[in-house]
Amino acid sequence: MIKYTFLLLTTLLSFASIADDETEYCTGVSTLAGSIMEMRQDGVAMSELYEVLEGSTGSLQMVKLAYQYPMYETREYKIKEVARFKDQLFMLCID
């Protein structure tokens, strides 16, 4: 769990520091979404992510959304799902 906490906190901090304009902000959202989906695809329990992200409403919404998607067995499909989720959240952010 410490590994996941560190990964998410690093992503959140870098996300906050680059958010100078809409594109950069949405890129940060996409990066965070990718980290969340990677953990989903690696089999991390949703409750663990909730513990780490407690208090961050937007991030918790991403977790809820990520866990509505299937978890894949092969590395190829996991990578594709992460990329698809990142793109979807980027698109929602810039709209």
Side-chain angles (χ1 to χ4, degrees), residues 32 36 55-63:
L32 179 58
I36 290 170
S56 177
T57 306
S59 298
L60 294 176
Q61 291 301 321
M62 283 188 219
V63 171

Side-chain angles (χ1 to χ4, degrees), residues 73-87:
E73 296 292 324
T74 66
R75 179 158 169 71
E76 176 186 359
Y77 284 111
K78 288 179 180 191
I79 291 169
K80 286 180 181 180
E81 192 62 29
V82 169
R84 186 180 359 219
F85 193 68
K86 285 177 68 174
D87 287 344

Side-chain angles (χ1 to χ4, degrees), residues 37-79:
M37 183 55 84
E38 283 178 20
M39 287 181 252
R40 161 69 175 136
Q41 293 300 318
D42 288 343
V44 175
M46 186 178 186
S47 60
E48 288 183 41
L49 290 178
Y50 256 70
E51 284 179 34
V52 172
L53 296 170
E54 187 176 348
S56 177
T57 306
S59 298
L60 294 176
Q61 291 301 321
M62 283 188 219
V63 171
K64 286 180 186 177
L65 185 59
Y67 279 77
Q68 292 176 7
Y69 288 79
M71 191 170 68
Y72 292 101
E73 296 292 324
T74 66
R75 179 158 169 71
E76 176 186 359
Y77 284 111
K78 288 179 180 191
I79 291 169

